[in-house]
Amino acid sequence: MAEEGADQLRRWTADQVLALAPDASSRKAGARLAAPAPWSGTGTSGSAVWGLCAGSGGSPYRTVIDMAGPGYKCSCPSRKFPCKHALGLLLLWSGDSVPDAADQNPDWVTEWLDARREREERPAPASAGVADPAAARQRAERRAVRVAAGAAELDRRLADLLRGGLAGAEREGYGQWDEVAARMIDAQAPGLASRVRELGAVVGAGGDWPGRLLEEASLLHLLTQGYTRQDRLPEALAATVRTRVGFTSAAGTDAVRDRWLVLGRHDAADDRLTTRRIWLHGLSAGRPALLLSFGAAGRAPELTLPVGLCLDADLSYHPGARPLRAALGPAHGAPSPGTVPPGTAVGPALSSYGAALADDPWLDAWPVVLTGVVPIPAPTGWQLADADGVDALPLAARATPWQLAAVSGGHPVTVFGELGHRGFQPFTVWGADGVALPL
């Protein structure tokens, strides 16, 4: 089993290792540590890789990586996951420069691995662990009343907007939207507040803003009406509405085990939070899944999965009309070599996006894999076109096409990304060699 795991791990490429880096500076620093000089006591056994890295202090940093997960541990003071030492050790190991220790793990490695296994096998806390169920129920009832009042107020504001004419929205500026968003926060409806801010950002942005404002206002009205009438909705759609309004949901208890191919990863940061999104594709069932992980401002989330590799693991989906978000359960081994994911042409991809919108009209985007597409420049911007030239999709405005175009070289490639009303945002490309390259 250990030899099998080692063979699989040797297939990791430098690009896949560097794709785990939380930021560009970690990537650069990790690459500098991918040399034997600062390392001592390195070894690998089973799913573990470890080593001692000389630092500025008197004692070397202890770095260990458990590829079954994967998980990272380093005694350095960095708050990034994985840190530069873990990246450097992985790069060293991917180049076959870490010796096989034949199960002779150092004690500090064994202790960390045992503690990690114990945490994974520990049963989850009982969901009935609420200290005072009656008080919790009363809090939930009070919040439901406040959110309903907020939704009703927002609906009145939208009616006033239409009654006064859209032209007036530009004259009054963004301040009115900020005030409405604050009211929604007071009503404990953060999802409504977020959509109100987006609504305010549309005003005056581009020549077609009145049409887009009307579209966004319609979706917001649909959401407030859905919330006030959720008792008449199918349970799955009602769960979607509550999530869009701002209620949190727990993952279901039914686990789905599959070989999950890691399609892509993207980090987005604001002043308070770093949000990491990792998309998966179940190779057996063909289901997509989205994992979310969060870190404090300036700190990368801990969940890190290598793009392009497969993970045999359990996933539990959150409820919804179109379940996508999931929680990662136990893994059944180290990540294994991945494959080029099955994909579709542009037409079927648009159909899948349309079907997802029919179930969840408030979706911003839907994950799709396009196969046999070529990036081409067009007068209005870059597009991804079917190789036969029948259909094409515009790339989203924030997409940078040059790396994608370089991998393609004018030939068809497989691309994973999100398809939304602003176009297609690519995240990973597979070229002729079948290797996943994060964009």
Side-chain angles (χ1 to χ4, degrees):
M1 183 64 188
E3 291 181 358
E4 182 184 352
D7 288 343
Q8 292 171 344
L9 294 176
R10 287 193 185 98
R11 294 177 181 269
W12 288 45
T13 66
D15 286 337
Q16 288 168 335
V17 172
L18 291 174
L20 300 173
D23 51 40
S25 62
S26 296
R27 191 177 302 114
K28 190 174 180 180
R32 283 200 298 267
L33 289 172
W39 292 95
S40 61
T42 56
T44 178
S45 175
S47 63
V49 184
W50 64 86
L52 304 174
C53 186
S56 56
S59 300
Y61 296 123
R62 291 178 171 181
T63 307
V64 56
I65 302 149
D66 181 7
M67 306 306 295
Y72 312 90
K73 175 69 175 179
C74 184
S75 60
C76 75
S78 174
R79 299 167 65 191
K80 298 178 180 179
F81 291 93
C83 68
K84 62 181 181 182
H85 305 99
L87 290 169
L89 180 59
L90 271 178
L91 287 170
L92 199 66
W93 179 79
S94 70
D96 285 335
S97 297
V98 174
D100 190 341
D103 295 328
Q104 297 299 314
N105 299 8
D107 291 343
W108 59 275
V109 172
T110 301
E111 290 173 4
W112 180 72
L113 289 174
D114 290 346
R116 179 174 165 81
R117 300 285 183 267
E118 183 181 350
R119 286 195 302 272
E120 291 176 346
E121 294 170 0
R122 190 179 303 159
S127 57
V130 179
D132 188 343
R137 185 174 60 255
Q138 290 175 357
R139 286 195 298 271
E141 292 172 351
R142 285 196 297 270
R143 184 185 180 188
V145 172
R146 297 184 68 172
V147 173
E153 178 182 347
L154 178 55
D155 228 20
R156 288 194 297 273
R157 297 286 191 115
L158 294 174
D160 290 343
L161 171 67
L162 298 182
R163 194 175 297 113
L166 299 184
E170 189 173 24
R171 288 196 301 271
E172 296 183 21
Y174 186 80
Q176 61 168 332
W177 304 107
D178 223 14
E179 185 262 336
V180 176
R183 295 281 297 171
M184 295 304 105
I185 291 294
D186 291 341
Q188 296 183 286
L192 293 181
S194 177
R195 297 195 77 92
V196 166
R197 293 193 185 95
E198 293 175 7
L199 195 67
V202 170
V203 179
D208 59 341
W209 70 263
R212 289 185 287 118
L213 179 64
L214 191 58
E215 292 171 1
E216 294 296 329
S218 300
L219 284 173
L220 201 44
H221 170 69
L222 184 65
L223 184 56
T224 58
Q225 291 298 302
Y227 181 75
T228 56
R229 293 173 170 79
Q230 57 180 305
D231 56 334
R232 307 179 196 177
L233 300 177
E235 180 51 36
L237 182 57
T240 295
V241 168
R242 288 194 292 271
T243 300
R244 298 298 181 191
V245 167
F247 288 87
T248 56
S249 66
T253 56
D254 295 333
V256 180
R257 181 176 177 178
D258 205 334
R259 293 183 65 238
W260 300 97
L261 176 63
V262 184
L263 292 175
R265 191 191 81 177
H266 179 72
D267 287 357
D270 57 27
D271 294 338
R272 297 177 301 172
L273 201 65
T274 299
T275 302
R276 172 168 293 164
R277 293 187 294 166
I278 299 176
W279 294 270
L280 307 175
H281 173 82
L283 292 177
S284 298
R287 293 185 67 176
L290 172 64
L291 305 179
L292 294 180
S293 182
F294 304 95
R299 184 172 181 176
E302 292 190 24
L303 180 60
T304 302
L305 298 177
V307 175
L309 297 189
C310 277
L311 185 68
D312 182 2
D314 295 336
L315 254 63
S316 299
Y317 282 88
H318 288 245
R322 175 68 64 147
L324 180 63
R325 185 183 174 187
L328 183 63
H332 304 283
S336 59
T339 62
V340 179
T344 68
V346 169
L350 286 168
S351 297
S352 69
Y353 176 47
L357 278 178
D359 289 337
D360 182 355
W362 307 281
L363 265 179
D364 290 326
W366 184 249
V368 297
V369 177
L370 298 173
T371 188
V373 291
V374 181
I376 57 173
T380 56
W382 281 78
Q383 297 181 342
L384 275 177
D386 286 335
D388 58 10
V390 173
D391 295 310
L393 281 172
L395 289 185
R398 61 189 175 93
T400 52
W402 300 110
Q403 192 176 12
L404 178 59
V407 173
S408 166
H411 299 284
V413 290
T414 296
V415 186
F416 163 73
E418 281 192 324
L419 179 56
H421 62 280
R422 294 185 179 88
F424 182 81
Q425 175 67 46
F427 292 112
T428 308
V429 59
W430 288 260
D433 57 2
V435 176
L437 180 65
L439 298 171

